[in-house]
Amino acid sequence: MSELRSSLAFVGTYTSNESEGIYGYRLNSEAGEFEALGTTMVGDNPSFLTIHPSGEFLYAVNETDPGNVAACEVDQRTGELSTLNRRPSGASGPCHCSVDATGQFLLVAHYGGGSISMLPIEDDGHLGNPTELIEHDGTHIDSSDPPTPRPHAAIPGPDNRFVYVPDLGLDEVVVYKLDLERGRLSRASAVQMSAGTGPRHLVFHPNNQVGYVINEPDSSLTILDRDTRTGELNFVESLRTTPSTFDGENHSADVHVHPSGRWAYGSNRGHDSIAVFDIKDENGRLEPMGYVSTGGKYPRNIAIDPTGRFLVAENRHTDDLVLFQITDEGHLKATGEKTLVPDPSCMQFLADSSPE
């Protein structure tokens, strides 16, 4: 694992109450402590963030109607953010964004607007206007009451040739071919899940051959095999993210794989826990290891720091970040470190090896 002494972290929030926008922190990986660095207002509800591959720029959705996206320059020494510009995202309610591996385009999923978009990134980090906007629809579903499209993420694939979009409303993960020269997306395939599954977020194993999708209303984690040639996904199996004895209301939210590829973690809103899974073999099959309380309520997001030593739960309804140590066996151990931040919804790390 990395020997970095500290990492910069940025937290996106909802601003309807006391939030001041994006919150910056430095995580001391030796002491296991957060240092608050400041706040940056980039418009209402910067609920999801992503960082450019260069580490020089940060992008945030403004989950509003109409939707916008904001670009910021990152001072990698101090963690200060400077707003570069804002652009319309193309539809209402953008909830997720990511940058392709080359750093040329921002990809945006719109939960409210039922669509995905693609915006060019200039060399200086500024955003251009969308070059692509694709509306999802439910007409292919055999139903007298077609479901409402709810794209919840737009994830570039491991080889940067495809973009993967879990659609919670249509119960499918759509695969798009990524055309960087033209700034376009074209539908390549989709994996259909059972009605009511509600795929929300997706992450790939470091071997690039397995994907894990966390499903919100179904409270499950689905394993998908990936064809590295065509980008196609195929269903393998689903496992519960809550104990079999739990029968309360729950909405699973976020999923991450440890940098080592040995464990997977998923957050539960309602059960207010993190489900821990052992990744058993090179095929990415999972075995439940247990469930750990997040120490708060409604963990909308979780994040693993660049060293792989810590996991952070962002508990929206208790306005806090709770820090866990990841043990050598992949278990989570509460460190006692809790940081207050209003309505946290997303954390993104940027590795920072500057002297302290």
Side-chain angles (χ1 to χ4, degrees), residues 157-192:
D159 53 16
N160 210 49
R161 294 187 299 126
F162 301 95
V163 175
Y164 296 83
V165 180
D167 192 308
L168 190 151
L170 301 184
D171 294 313
E172 65 180 7
V173 180
V174 184
V175 184
Y176 290 95
K177 188 172 182 180
L178 177 61
D179 185 340
L180 293 174
E181 291 188 4
R182 298 172 56 239
R184 299 293 181 185
L185 297 168
S186 57
R187 184 171 173 133
S189 62
V191 56
Q192 187 70 49

PDB file of all heavy atoms in Angstrom, residues 157-192:
ATOM      1  N   GLY A 157     -15.540   2.796 -18.437  1.00  0.00           N
ATOM      2  CA  GLY A 157     -15.025   1.448 -18.220  1.00  0.00           C
ATOM      3  C   GLY A 157     -13.529   1.432 -18.043  1.00  0.00           C
ATOM      4  O   GLY A 157     -12.836   2.429 -18.292  1.00  0.00           O
ATOM      5  N   PRO A 158     -12.978   0.289 -17.614  1.00  0.00           N
ATOM      6  CA  PRO A 158     -11.543   0.187 -17.338  1.00  0.00           C
ATOM      7  C   PRO A 158     -10.642   0.534 -18.520  1.00  0.00           C
ATOM      8  O   PRO A 158      -9.542   1.047 -18.328  1.00  0.00           O
ATOM      9  CB  PRO A 158     -11.379  -1.288 -16.945  1.00  0.00           C
ATOM     10  CG  PRO A 158     -12.715  -1.694 -16.423  1.00  0.00           C
ATOM     11  CD  PRO A 158     -13.710  -0.943 -17.260  1.00  0.00           C
ATOM     12  N   ASP A 159     -11.118   0.287 -19.747  1.00  0.00           N
ATOM     13  CA  ASP A 159     -10.290   0.567 -20.922  1.00  0.00           C
ATOM     14  C   ASP A 159     -10.653   1.892 -21.584  1.00  0.00           C
ATOM     15  O   ASP A 159     -10.102   2.236 -22.635  1.00  0.00           O
ATOM     16  CB  ASP A 159     -10.394  -0.581 -21.930  1.00  0.00           C
ATOM     17  CG  ASP A 159     -11.841  -0.913 -22.278  1.00  0.00           C
ATOM     18  OD1 ASP A 159     -12.740  -0.075 -21.992  1.00  0.00           O
ATOM     19  OD2 ASP A 159     -12.089  -1.989 -22.831  1.00  0.00           O
ATOM     20  N   ASN A 160     -11.608   2.611 -20.998  1.00  0.00           N
ATOM     21  CA  ASN A 160     -12.034   3.924 -21.500  1.00  0.00           C
ATOM     22  C   ASN A 160     -12.663   3.860 -22.892  1.00  0.00           C
ATOM     23  O   ASN A 160     -12.762   4.870 -23.579  1.00  0.00           O
ATOM     24  CB  ASN A 160     -10.873   4.923 -21.520  1.00  0.00           C
ATOM     25  CG  ASN A 160     -11.330   6.362 -21.306  1.00  0.00           C
ATOM     26  OD1 ASN A 160     -12.082   6.649 -20.379  1.00  0.00           O
ATOM     27  ND2 ASN A 160     -10.872   7.267 -22.162  1.00  0.00           N
ATOM     28  N   ARG A 161     -13.153   2.674 -23.273  1.00  0.00           N
ATOM     29  CA  ARG A 161     -13.849   2.554 -24.559  1.00  0.00           C
ATOM     30  C   ARG A 161     -15.363   2.550 -24.398  1.00  0.00           C
ATOM     31  O   ARG A 161     -16.093   2.770 -25.371  1.00  0.00           O
ATOM     32  CB  ARG A 161     -13.430   1.272 -25.287  1.00  0.00           C
ATOM     33  CG  ARG A 161     -11.978   1.252 -25.720  1.00  0.00           C
ATOM     34  CD  ARG A 161     -11.669   0.038 -26.586  1.00  0.00           C
ATOM     35  NE  ARG A 161     -11.904  -1.207 -25.863  1.00  0.00           N
ATOM     36  CZ  ARG A 161     -12.690  -2.193 -26.301  1.00  0.00           C
ATOM     37  NH1 ARG A 161     -13.345  -2.073 -27.440  1.00  0.00           N
ATOM     38  NH2 ARG A 161     -12.836  -3.300 -25.592  1.00  0.00           N
ATOM     39  N   PHE A 162     -15.805   2.291 -23.172  1.00  0.00           N
ATOM     40  CA  PHE A 162     -17.238   2.201 -22.912  1.00  0.00           C
ATOM     41  C   PHE A 162     -17.599   2.995 -21.658  1.00  0.00           C
ATOM     42  O   PHE A 162     -16.758   3.203 -20.783  1.00  0.00           O
ATOM     43  CB  PHE A 162     -17.668   0.739 -22.729  1.00  0.00           C
ATOM     44  CG  PHE A 162     -17.384  -0.131 -23.923  1.00  0.00           C
ATOM     45  CD1 PHE A 162     -16.220  -0.877 -23.979  1.00  0.00           C
ATOM     46  CD2 PHE A 162     -18.266  -0.178 -24.990  1.00  0.00           C
ATOM     47  CE1 PHE A 162     -15.940  -1.678 -25.075  1.00  0.00           C
ATOM     48  CE2 PHE A 162     -17.989  -0.973 -26.093  1.00  0.00           C
ATOM     49  CZ  PHE A 162     -16.825  -1.727 -26.142  1.00  0.00           C
ATOM     50  N   VAL A 163     -18.875   3.406 -21.594  1.00  0.00           N
ATOM     51  CA  VAL A 163     -19.416   4.079 -20.419  1.00  0.00           C
ATOM     52  C   VAL A 163     -20.594   3.256 -19.922  1.00  0.00           C
ATOM     53  O   VAL A 163     -21.452   2.840 -20.705  1.00  0.00           O
ATOM     54  CB  VAL A 163     -19.868   5.516 -20.749  1.00  0.00           C
ATOM     55  CG1 VAL A 163     -20.534   6.166 -19.542  1.00  0.00           C
ATOM     56  CG2 VAL A 163     -18.677   6.350 -21.209  1.00  0.00           C
ATOM     57  N   TYR A 164     -20.638   3.034 -18.603  1.00  0.00           N
ATOM     58  CA  TYR A 164     -21.648   2.170 -17.997  1.00  0.00           C
ATOM     59  C   TYR A 164     -22.600   3.011 -17.159  1.00  0.00           C
ATOM     60  O   TYR A 164     -22.163   3.769 -16.292  1.00  0.00           O
ATOM     61  CB  TYR A 164     -20.967   1.100 -17.149  1.00  0.00           C
ATOM     62  CG  TYR A 164     -20.110   0.171 -17.979  1.00  0.00           C
ATOM     63  CD1 TYR A 164     -18.814   0.523 -18.342  1.00  0.00           C
ATOM     64  CD2 TYR A 164     -20.617  -1.046 -18.442  1.00  0.00           C
ATOM     65  CE1 TYR A 164     -18.033  -0.316 -19.130  1.00  0.00           C
ATOM     66  CE2 TYR A 164     -19.850  -1.888 -19.228  1.00  0.00           C
ATOM     67  CZ  TYR A 164     -18.563  -1.520 -19.567  1.00  0.00           C
ATOM     68  OH  TYR A 164     -17.795  -2.356 -20.353  1.00  0.00           O
ATOM     69  N   VAL A 165     -23.905   2.851 -17.416  1.00  0.00           N
ATOM     70  CA  VAL A 165     -24.912   3.696 -16.784  1.00  0.00           C
ATOM     71  C   VAL A 165     -25.965   2.832 -16.081  1.00  0.00           C
ATOM     72  O   VAL A 165     -26.848   2.271 -16.741  1.00  0.00           O
ATOM     73  CB  VAL A 165     -25.600   4.614 -17.811  1.00  0.00           C
ATOM     74  CG1 VAL A 165     -26.645   5.491 -17.127  1.00  0.00           C
ATOM     75  CG2 VAL A 165     -24.566   5.475 -18.532  1.00  0.00           C
ATOM     76  N   PRO A 166     -25.890   2.691 -14.753  1.00  0.00           N
ATOM     77  CA  PRO A 166     -26.976   2.032 -14.028  1.00  0.00           C
ATOM     78  C   PRO A 166     -28.214   2.917 -14.031  1.00  0.00           C
ATOM     79  O   PRO A 166     -28.139   4.080 -13.636  1.00  0.00           O
ATOM     80  CB  PRO A 166     -26.413   1.872 -12.610  1.00  0.00           C
ATOM     81  CG  PRO A 166     -24.941   2.144 -12.717  1.00  0.00           C
ATOM     82  CD  PRO A 166     -24.784   3.080 -13.867  1.00  0.00           C
ATOM     83  N   ASP A 167     -29.339   2.371 -14.476  1.00  0.00           N
ATOM     84  CA  ASP A 167     -30.596   3.115 -14.485  1.00  0.00           C
ATOM     85  C   ASP A 167     -31.527   2.483 -13.462  1.00  0.00           C
ATOM     86  O   ASP A 167     -32.075   1.398 -13.681  1.00  0.00           O
ATOM     87  CB  ASP A 167     -31.227   3.096 -15.874  1.00  0.00           C
ATOM     88  CG  ASP A 167     -32.369   4.097 -16.006  1.00  0.00           C
ATOM     89  OD1 ASP A 167     -33.271   4.070 -15.140  1.00  0.00           O
ATOM     90  OD2 ASP A 167     -32.361   4.897 -16.964  1.00  0.00           O
ATOM     91  N   LEU A 168     -31.724   3.189 -12.351  1.00  0.00           N
ATOM     92  CA  LEU A 168     -32.508   2.676 -11.234  1.00  0.00           C
ATOM     93  C   LEU A 168     -33.971   2.480 -11.621  1.00  0.00           C
ATOM     94  O   LEU A 168     -34.624   1.548 -11.157  1.00  0.00           O
ATOM     95  CB  LEU A 168     -32.375   3.638 -10.049  1.00  0.00           C
ATOM     96  CG  LEU A 168     -32.914   3.215  -8.697  1.00  0.00           C
ATOM     97  CD1 LEU A 168     -32.110   3.895  -7.590  1.00  0.00           C
ATOM     98  CD2 LEU A 168     -34.381   3.592  -8.534  1.00  0.00           C
ATOM     99  N   GLY A 169     -34.483   3.360 -12.473  1.00  0.00           N
ATOM    100  CA  GLY A 169     -35.889   3.275 -12.855  1.00  0.00           C
ATOM    101  C   GLY A 169     -36.187   2.188 -13.865  1.00  0.00           C
ATOM    102  O   GLY A 169     -37.264   1.584 -13.845  1.00  0.00           O
ATOM    103  N   LEU A 170     -35.246   1.914 -14.760  1.00  0.00           N
ATOM    104  CA  LEU A 170     -35.458   0.915 -15.815  1.00  0.00           C
ATOM    105  C   LEU A 170     -34.914  -0.461 -15.447  1.00  0.00           C
ATOM    106  O   LEU A 170     -35.039  -1.409 -16.231  1.00  0.00           O
ATOM    107  CB  LEU A 170     -34.815   1.388 -17.125  1.00  0.00           C
ATOM    108  CG  LEU A 170     -35.309   2.717 -17.688  1.00  0.00           C
ATOM    109  CD1 LEU A 170     -34.654   2.997 -19.035  1.00  0.00           C
ATOM    110  CD2 LEU A 170     -36.825   2.729 -17.811  1.00  0.00           C
ATOM    111  N   ASP A 171     -34.271  -0.576 -14.282  1.00  0.00           N
ATOM    112  CA  ASP A 171     -33.717  -1.857 -13.833  1.00  0.00           C
ATOM    113  C   ASP A 171     -32.750  -2.455 -14.855  1.00  0.00           C
ATOM    114  O   ASP A 171     -32.804  -3.640 -15.179  1.00  0.00           O
ATOM    115  CB  ASP A 171     -34.839  -2.860 -13.533  1.00  0.00           C
ATOM    116  CG  ASP A 171     -35.680  -2.438 -12.357  1.00  0.00           C
ATOM    117  OD1 ASP A 171     -35.110  -2.057 -11.321  1.00  0.00           O
ATOM    118  OD2 ASP A 171     -36.924  -2.477 -12.469  1.00  0.00           O
ATOM    119  N   GLU A 172     -31.850  -1.613 -15.349  1.00  0.00           N
ATOM    120  CA  GLU A 172     -30.846  -2.103 -16.285  1.00  0.00           C
ATOM    121  C   GLU A 172     -29.575  -1.281 -16.171  1.00  0.00           C
ATOM    122  O   GLU A 172     -29.575  -0.161 -15.647  1.00  0.00           O
ATOM    123  CB  GLU A 172     -31.376  -2.048 -17.722  1.00  0.00           C
ATOM    124  CG  GLU A 172     -31.643  -0.648 -18.253  1.00  0.00           C
ATOM    125  CD  GLU A 172     -32.171  -0.640 -19.679  1.00  0.00           C
ATOM    126  OE1 GLU A 172     -32.458  -1.728 -20.225  1.00  0.00           O
ATOM    127  OE2 GLU A 172     -32.287   0.451 -20.257  1.00  0.00           O
ATOM    128  N   VAL A 173     -28.483  -1.867 -16.636  1.00  0.00           N
ATOM    129  CA  VAL A 173     -27.223  -1.146 -16.782  1.00  0.00           C
ATOM    130  C   VAL A 173     -26.946  -1.044 -18.274  1.00  0.00           C
ATOM    131  O   VAL A 173     -26.772  -2.063 -18.960  1.00  0.00           O
ATOM    132  CB  VAL A 173     -26.062  -1.860 -16.063  1.00  0.00           C
ATOM    133  CG1 VAL A 173     -24.764  -1.063 -16.246  1.00  0.00           C
ATOM    134  CG2 VAL A 173     -26.373  -2.048 -14.583  1.00  0.00           C
ATOM    135  N   VAL A 174     -26.939   0.176 -18.774  1.00  0.00           N
ATOM    136  CA  VAL A 174     -26.753   0.423 -20.201  1.00  0.00           C
ATOM    137  C   VAL A 174     -25.268   0.644 -20.484  1.00  0.00           C
ATOM    138  O   VAL A 174     -24.579   1.341 -19.735  1.00  0.00           O
ATOM    139  CB  VAL A 174     -27.558   1.647 -20.669  1.00  0.00           C
ATOM    140  CG1 VAL A 174     -27.430   1.820 -22.182  1.00  0.00           C
ATOM    141  CG2 VAL A 174     -29.020   1.504 -20.264  1.00  0.00           C
ATOM    142  N   VAL A 175     -24.795   0.038 -21.562  1.00  0.00           N
ATOM    143  CA  VAL A 175     -23.402   0.180 -21.982  1.00  0.00           C
ATOM    144  C   VAL A 175     -23.357   1.035 -23.240  1.00  0.00           C
ATOM    145  O   VAL A 175     -24.021   0.733 -24.239  1.00  0.00           O
ATOM    146  CB  VAL A 175     -22.756  -1.193 -22.262  1.00  0.00           C
ATOM    147  CG1 VAL A 175     -21.274  -1.030 -22.596  1.00  0.00           C
ATOM    148  CG2 VAL A 175     -22.945  -2.127 -21.068  1.00  0.00           C
ATOM    149  N   TYR A 176     -22.580   2.123 -23.174  1.00  0.00           N
ATOM    150  CA  TYR A 176     -22.413   3.010 -24.317  1.00  0.00           C
ATOM    151  C   TYR A 176     -20.981   2.949 -24.832  1.00  0.00           C
ATOM    152  O   TYR A 176     -20.028   2.876 -24.034  1.00  0.00           O
ATOM    153  CB  TYR A 176     -22.725   4.461 -23.940  1.00  0.00           C
ATOM    154  CG  TYR A 176     -24.171   4.739 -23.679  1.00  0.00           C
ATOM    155  CD1 TYR A 176     -24.686   4.697 -22.381  1.00  0.00           C
ATOM    156  CD2 TYR A 176     -25.036   5.049 -24.723  1.00  0.00           C
ATOM    157  CE1 TYR A 176     -26.028   4.953 -22.132  1.00  0.00           C
ATOM    158  CE2 TYR A 176     -26.378   5.309 -24.482  1.00  0.00           C
ATOM    159  CZ  TYR A 176     -26.871   5.258 -23.187  1.00  0.00           C
ATOM    160  OH  TYR A 176     -28.196   5.502 -22.952  1.00  0.00           O
ATOM    161  N   LYS A 177     -20.822   3.004 -26.145  1.00  0.00           N
ATOM    162  CA  LYS A 177     -19.497   3.146 -26.737  1.00  0.00           C
ATOM    163  C   LYS A 177     -19.101   4.610 -26.677  1.00  0.00           C
ATOM    164  O   LYS A 177     -19.880   5.500 -27.010  1.00  0.00           O
ATOM    165  CB  LYS A 177     -19.494   2.651 -28.179  1.00  0.00           C
ATOM    166  CG  LYS A 177     -18.095   2.583 -28.787  1.00  0.00           C
ATOM    167  CD  LYS A 177     -18.115   1.915 -30.146  1.00  0.00           C
ATOM    168  CE  LYS A 177     -16.707   1.815 -30.719  1.00  0.00           C
ATOM    169  NZ  LYS A 177     -16.683   1.154 -32.055  1.00  0.00           N
ATOM    170  N   LEU A 178     -17.875   4.861 -26.229  1.00  0.00           N
ATOM    171  CA  LEU A 178     -17.385   6.224 -26.036  1.00  0.00           C
ATOM    172  C   LEU A 178     -16.559   6.661 -27.244  1.00  0.00           C
ATOM    173  O   LEU A 178     -15.554   6.029 -27.586  1.00  0.00           O
ATOM    174  CB  LEU A 178     -16.529   6.273 -24.765  1.00  0.00           C
ATOM    175  CG  LEU A 178     -15.846   7.587 -24.410  1.00  0.00           C
ATOM    176  CD1 LEU A 178     -16.865   8.691 -24.188  1.00  0.00           C
ATOM    177  CD2 LEU A 178     -14.977   7.401 -23.159  1.00  0.00           C
ATOM    178  N   ASP A 179     -16.994   7.736 -27.882  1.00  0.00           N
ATOM    179  CA  ASP A 179     -16.298   8.302 -29.039  1.00  0.00           C
ATOM    180  C   ASP A 179     -15.675   9.625 -28.618  1.00  0.00           C
ATOM    181  O   ASP A 179     -16.342  10.661 -28.560  1.00  0.00           O
ATOM    182  CB  ASP A 179     -17.285   8.512 -30.194  1.00  0.00           C
ATOM    183  CG  ASP A 179     -16.615   8.978 -31.479  1.00  0.00           C
ATOM    184  OD1 ASP A 179     -15.475   9.492 -31.410  1.00  0.00           O
ATOM    185  OD2 ASP A 179     -17.232   8.847 -32.553  1.00  0.00           O
ATOM    186  N   LEU A 180     -14.379   9.596 -28.303  1.00  0.00           N
ATOM    187  CA  LEU A 180     -13.694  10.798 -27.830  1.00  0.00           C
ATOM    188  C   LEU A 180     -13.434  11.794 -28.942  1.00  0.00           C
ATOM    189  O   LEU A 180     -13.378  13.002 -28.690  1.00  0.00           O
ATOM    190  CB  LEU A 180     -12.379  10.403 -27.165  1.00  0.00           C
ATOM    191  CG  LEU A 180     -12.494   9.599 -25.858  1.00  0.00           C
ATOM    192  CD1 LEU A 180     -11.117   9.148 -25.400  1.00  0.00           C
ATOM    193  CD2 LEU A 180     -13.169  10.426 -24.775  1.00  0.00           C
ATOM    194  N   GLU A 181     -13.270  11.344 -30.157  1.00  0.00           N
ATOM    195  CA  GLU A 181     -12.995  12.257 -31.272  1.00  0.00           C
ATOM    196  C   GLU A 181     -14.194  13.140 -31.574  1.00  0.00           C
ATOM    197  O   GLU A 181     -14.036  14.337 -31.850  1.00  0.00           O
ATOM    198  CB  GLU A 181     -12.596  11.461 -32.516  1.00  0.00           C
ATOM    199  CG  GLU A 181     -11.238  10.772 -32.403  1.00  0.00           C
ATOM    200  CD  GLU A 181     -10.822  10.160 -33.721  1.00  0.00           C
ATOM    201  OE1 GLU A 181     -11.552  10.350 -34.735  1.00  0.00           O
ATOM    202  OE2 GLU A 181      -9.773   9.503 -33.750  1.00  0.00           O
ATOM    203  N   ARG A 182     -15.395  12.571 -31.510  1.00  0.00           N
ATOM    204  CA  ARG A 182     -16.605  13.318 -31.848  1.00  0.00           C
ATOM    205  C   ARG A 182     -17.353  13.811 -30.615  1.00  0.00           C
ATOM    206  O   ARG A 182     -18.295  14.590 -30.733  1.00  0.00           O
ATOM    207  CB  ARG A 182     -17.526  12.450 -32.709  1.00  0.00           C
ATOM    208  CG  ARG A 182     -16.916  12.041 -34.027  1.00  0.00           C
ATOM    209  CD  ARG A 182     -17.772  11.033 -34.778  1.00  0.00           C
ATOM    210  NE  ARG A 182     -19.123  11.538 -34.996  1.00  0.00           N
ATOM    211  CZ  ARG A 182     -20.219  10.944 -34.555  1.00  0.00           C
ATOM    212  NH1 ARG A 182     -20.139   9.837 -33.831  1.00  0.00           N
ATOM    213  NH2 ARG A 182     -21.411  11.454 -34.816  1.00  0.00           N
ATOM    214  N   GLY A 183     -16.946  13.347 -29.445  1.00  0.00           N
ATOM    215  CA  GLY A 183     -17.669  13.721 -28.235  1.00  0.00           C
ATOM    216  C   GLY A 183     -19.062  13.143 -28.208  1.00  0.00           C
ATOM    217  O   GLY A 183     -20.034  13.821 -27.850  1.00  0.00           O
ATOM    218  N   ARG A 184     -19.161  11.835 -28.557  1.00  0.00           N
ATOM    219  CA  ARG A 184     -20.462  11.200 -28.669  1.00  0.00           C
ATOM    220  C   ARG A 184     -20.504   9.873 -27.910  1.00  0.00           C
ATOM    221  O   ARG A 184     -19.472   9.262 -27.624  1.00  0.00           O
ATOM    222  CB  ARG A 184     -20.801  10.937 -30.142  1.00  0.00           C
ATOM    223  CG  ARG A 184     -20.890  12.190 -30.995  1.00  0.00           C
ATOM    224  CD  ARG A 184     -22.071  13.046 -30.585  1.00  0.00           C
ATOM    225  NE  ARG A 184     -22.204  14.256 -31.404  1.00  0.00           N
ATOM    226  CZ  ARG A 184     -23.095  15.202 -31.174  1.00  0.00           C
ATOM    227  NH1 ARG A 184     -23.927  15.099 -30.157  1.00  0.00           N
ATOM    228  NH2 ARG A 184     -23.156  16.266 -31.940  1.00  0.00           N
ATOM    229  N   LEU A 185     -21.728   9.440 -27.623  1.00  0.00           N
ATOM    230  CA  LEU A 185     -21.988   8.138 -27.028  1.00  0.00           C
ATOM    231  C   LEU A 185     -22.977   7.396 -27.906  1.00  0.00           C
ATOM    232  O   LEU A 185     -23.932   7.993 -28.415  1.00  0.00           O
ATOM    233  CB  LEU A 185     -22.577   8.284 -25.621  1.00  0.00           C
ATOM    234  CG  LEU A 185     -21.713   8.963 -24.556  1.00  0.00           C
ATOM    235  CD1 LEU A 185     -22.567   9.294 -23.325  1.00  0.00           C
ATOM    236  CD2 LEU A 185     -20.547   8.072 -24.171  1.00  0.00           C
ATOM    237  N   SER A 186     -22.785   6.096 -28.080  1.00  0.00           N
ATOM    238  CA  SER A 186     -23.732   5.287 -28.837  1.00  0.00           C
ATOM    239  C   SER A 186     -24.011   4.008 -28.057  1.00  0.00           C
ATOM    240  O   SER A 186     -23.084   3.360 -27.558  1.00  0.00           O
ATOM    241  CB  SER A 186     -23.197   4.954 -30.231  1.00  0.00           C
ATOM    242  OG  SER A 186     -21.950   4.287 -30.148  1.00  0.00           O
ATOM    243  N   ARG A 187     -25.276   3.666 -27.954  1.00  0.00           N
ATOM    244  CA  ARG A 187     -25.674   2.500 -27.169  1.00  0.00           C
ATOM    245  C   ARG A 187     -25.093   1.232 -27.783  1.00  0.00           C
ATOM    246  O   ARG A 187     -25.261   0.973 -28.980  1.00  0.00           O
ATOM    247  CB  ARG A 187     -27.189   2.410 -27.077  1.00  0.00           C
ATOM    248  CG  ARG A 187     -27.690   1.268 -26.203  1.00  0.00           C
ATOM    249  CD  ARG A 187     -29.181   1.374 -25.973  1.00  0.00           C
ATOM    250  NE  ARG A 187     -29.703   0.198 -25.276  1.00  0.00           N
ATOM    251  CZ  ARG A 187     -30.518   0.245 -24.241  1.00  0.00           C
ATOM    252  NH1 ARG A 187     -30.920   1.413 -23.776  1.00  0.00           N
ATOM    253  NH2 ARG A 187     -30.971  -0.855 -23.675  1.00  0.00           N
ATOM    254  N   ALA A 188     -24.445   0.425 -26.941  1.00  0.00           N
ATOM    255  CA  ALA A 188     -23.836  -0.820 -27.414  1.00  0.00           C
ATOM    256  C   ALA A 188     -24.596  -2.040 -26.930  1.00  0.00           C
ATOM    257  O   ALA A 188     -24.774  -3.009 -27.683  1.00  0.00           O
ATOM    258  CB  ALA A 188     -22.376  -0.898 -26.949  1.00  0.00           C
ATOM    259  N   SER A 189     -25.036  -2.039 -25.659  1.00  0.00           N
ATOM    260  CA  SER A 189     -25.742  -3.187 -25.094  1.00  0.00           C
ATOM    261  C   SER A 189     -26.347  -2.765 -23.766  1.00  0.00           C
ATOM    262  O   SER A 189     -26.191  -1.620 -23.318  1.00  0.00           O
ATOM    263  CB  SER A 189     -24.792  -4.378 -24.901  1.00  0.00           C
ATOM    264  OG  SER A 189     -23.763  -4.049 -23.987  1.00  0.00           O
ATOM    265  N   ALA A 190     -27.016  -3.696 -23.107  1.00  0.00           N
ATOM    266  CA  ALA A 190     -27.562  -3.456 -21.780  1.00  0.00           C
ATOM    267  C   ALA A 190     -27.793  -4.797 -21.096  1.00  0.00           C
ATOM    268  O   ALA A 190     -28.084  -5.797 -21.760  1.00  0.00           O
ATOM    269  CB  ALA A 190     -28.867  -2.666 -21.844  1.00  0.00           C
ATOM    270  N   VAL A 191     -27.659  -4.820 -19.781  1.00  0.00           N
ATOM    271  CA  VAL A 191     -28.005  -6.004 -19.008  1.00  0.00           C
ATOM    272  C   VAL A 191     -29.269  -5.675 -18.222  1.00  0.00           C
ATOM    273  O   VAL A 191     -29.314  -4.690 -17.483  1.00  0.00           O
ATOM    274  CB  VAL A 191     -26.851  -6.457 -18.080  1.00  0.00           C
ATOM    275  CG1 VAL A 191     -26.404  -5.347 -17.140  1.00  0.00           C
ATOM    276  CG2 VAL A 191     -27.246  -7.701 -17.299  1.00  0.00           C
ATOM    277  N   GLN A 192     -30.314  -6.475 -18.456  1.00  0.00           N
ATOM    278  CA  GLN A 192     -31.605  -6.253 -17.816  1.00  0.00           C
ATOM    279  C   GLN A 192     -31.682  -7.039 -16.507  1.00  0.00           C
ATOM    280  O   GLN A 192     -31.342  -8.213 -16.457  1.00  0.00           O
ATOM    281  CB  GLN A 192     -32.741  -6.689 -18.735  1.00  0.00           C
ATOM    282  CG  GLN A 192     -34.128  -6.333 -18.223  1.00  0.00           C
ATOM    283  CD  GLN A 192     -34.395  -4.843 -18.255  1.00  0.00           C
ATOM    284  OE1 GLN A 192     -34.160  -4.182 -19.262  1.00  0.00           O
ATOM    285  NE2 GLN A 192     -34.895  -4.306 -17.148  1.00  0.00           N
TER     286      GLN A 192
END
